[in-house]
Amino acid sequence: MKIEQLNKIQLINADCMDVLRELPDKYFDLAIVDPPYSNAGGEVERTGGSWAKKYGNNIKRWDIAPSVEYFEQLMRVSRNQIIWGGNYFQLPPTRCFVIWKKLTISESFTMSMCEYAWTSFDANAKVFECMPQGKPGEQRIHPCQKPVELYTWLLKRYAKAGDKILDTHLGSGSICLAADVMGFELTGIELDPEYYNAAKERLMKQQSEPQLFAAEDLVDYTQESSGYLF
């Protein structure tokens, strides 16, 4: 297990189950996770365009849906959760689901036009529209990479100042970039050393560059934007 601290971002290269089992109850205020879903509730085959050909061999090493114990541990160590791909897992009913509508994706394209996230919040469902590619020239290091703008929106709406954030499947580390700029304390866990190092380099590059805005200018900590609506 490797643990590194980069300002308020803690990175852990390990199996998330080994980490979760050692954490106390409700240690984190919010978990935002994007676990793999292959074979979750039946056979799920990852298909797609050029990205599938590029990452195919790598995907086989980690694209295994987590066990029931993973969700038990996740909900034990965190007060609230946002789980991408929640439609693949046996989770309780929720009225506060999130849809990420991917702009620029047509009906004929092999990539999904939207993604679903289950949340534990008692609030209205939301839709966020954003291009899946991220900013022009942004390096793509993971087949399931999500844009930083998506995590920025989630943190603005569902987290409060001082919250501790958890991501058990860090992947490309997009959430790290959002949390770092916004001043959140975050723990990101990634099993694959290649993805871990790439995410760390991505974060270090951002931290080495001057920031145009202070964290307090980017986060709206009003009651309306907070996820604590119940």
Side-chain angles (χ1 to χ4, degrees):
M1 180 184 298
K2 180 191 293 184
I3 303 177
E4 298 177 90
Q5 192 73 37
L6 299 174
N7 294 340
K8 289 187 176 183
I9 310 299
Q10 183 182 68
L11 301 178
I12 304 178
N13 184 200
D15 187 323
C16 66
M17 293 304 300
D18 294 336
V19 179
L20 291 175
R21 293 187 185 110
E22 299 300 320
L23 290 169
D25 293 355
K26 307 306 178 188
Y27 183 76
F28 294 97
D29 298 286
L30 175 61
I32 304 178
V33 300
D34 188 11
Y37 55 77
S38 186
N39 297 318
E43 293 294 324
V44 178
E45 182 181 0
R46 296 265 186 171
T47 59
S50 59
W51 72 267
K53 297 178 181 179
K54 179 179 179 181
Y55 297 103
N57 291 332
N58 246 3
I59 289 174
K60 294 177 182 178
R61 293 192 290 110
W62 55 260
D63 192 18
I64 302 172
S67 65
V68 172
E69 185 192 358
Y70 165 77
F71 294 99
E72 294 174 346
Q73 292 289 346
L74 181 70
M75 294 180 183
R76 179 184 65 80
V77 305
S78 57
R79 299 181 186 277
N80 281 291
Q81 305 82 30
I82 298 174
I83 303 175
W84 285 105
N87 47 306
Y88 289 100
F89 307 112
Q90 297 298 316
L91 296 169
T94 180
R95 74 185 187 94
C96 183
F97 57 88
V98 172
I99 298 295
W100 167 33
K101 181 180 179 182
K102 302 176 183 179
L103 300 178
T104 72
I105 302 301
S106 68
E107 292 185 10
S108 60
F109 194 59
T110 54
M111 179 185 289
S112 297
M113 297 179 68
C114 66
E115 291 191 30
Y116 168 94
W118 179 95
T119 89
S120 60
F121 295 102
D122 183 17
N124 293 327
K126 300 293 181 183
V127 176
F128 179 72
E129 298 185 358
C130 178
M131 293 187 298
Q133 299 93 336
K135 296 179 180 179
E138 185 174 339
Q139 182 184 12
R140 189 168 185 86
I141 62 177
H142 194 283
C144 301
Q145 184 164 326
K146 288 179 167 57
V148 177
E149 292 81 0
L150 175 61
Y151 287 107
T152 300
W153 179 83
L154 289 173
L155 290 170
K156 281 185 176 182
R157 180 158 294 279
Y158 297 105
K160 294 194 304 183
D163 278 359
K164 291 183 178 181
I165 314 298
L166 170 68
D167 185 349
T168 57
H169 296 79
L170 190 62
S172 67
S174 291
I175 191 174
C176 292
L177 275 64
D180 178 61
V181 170
M182 299 171 75
F184 283 108
E185 182 178 341
L186 178 138
T187 295
I189 308 169
E190 174 54 48
L191 175 62
D192 188 286
E194 181 180 344
Y195 291 137
Y196 174 86
N197 289 324
K200 182 180 72 172
E201 291 179 9
R202 197 175 173 209
L203 175 61
M204 291 176 63
K205 181 178 184 297
Q206 174 176 280
Q207 291 181 342
S208 68
E209 299 171 347
Q211 298 298 319
L212 298 178
F213 303 98
E216 56 268 23
D217 296 328
L218 292 175
V219 186
D220 180 9
Y221 293 123
T222 64
Q223 183 177 0
E224 181 181 359
S225 67
S226 168
Y228 297 90
L229 300 175
F230 57 98

